[in-house]
Amino acid sequence: MGDQISESRSRATWVLARRQHGVLTRSDLLGLGYTSKAIRHRVQRGRLHPVFHGVYAVGRAHLSREGRSMAAVVACGP
């Protein structure tokens, strides 16, 4: 059962990241069920790459122009 939850969360994470040009906020990740510890772990392992405070590139550090623009917008807050 835990694997199904993890797989479902992973799928939801990638769907949102694709919609946001490869960028997720800390708030997005917490809303998807990741803990602060899980976020730190993914940063340490190179799965999340800090772009701005509380904003991460997912999977790889390089962002497209649209990704950089999205990162700047979401860094400003709601």
Side-chain angles (χ1 to χ4, degrees), residues 8-61:
S8 175
R9 179 174 40 211
S10 180
R11 190 175 359 201
T13 301
W14 281 107
V15 166
L16 183 56
R18 275 192 290 275
R19 242 188 356 226
Q20 297 183 168
H21 302 284
V23 174
L24 293 175
T25 65
R26 178 176 180 76
S27 179
D28 292 332
L29 292 162
L30 293 171
L32 287 164
Y34 292 91
T35 63
S36 293
K37 182 179 176 182
I39 295 168
R40 276 193 308 275
H41 173 77
R42 282 162 178 76
V43 169
Q44 291 169 347
R45 295 290 181 202
R47 295 180 188 144
L48 293 174
H49 304 273
V51 180
F52 298 114
H53 181 74
V55 180
Y56 305 92
V58 180
R60 58 189 176 135

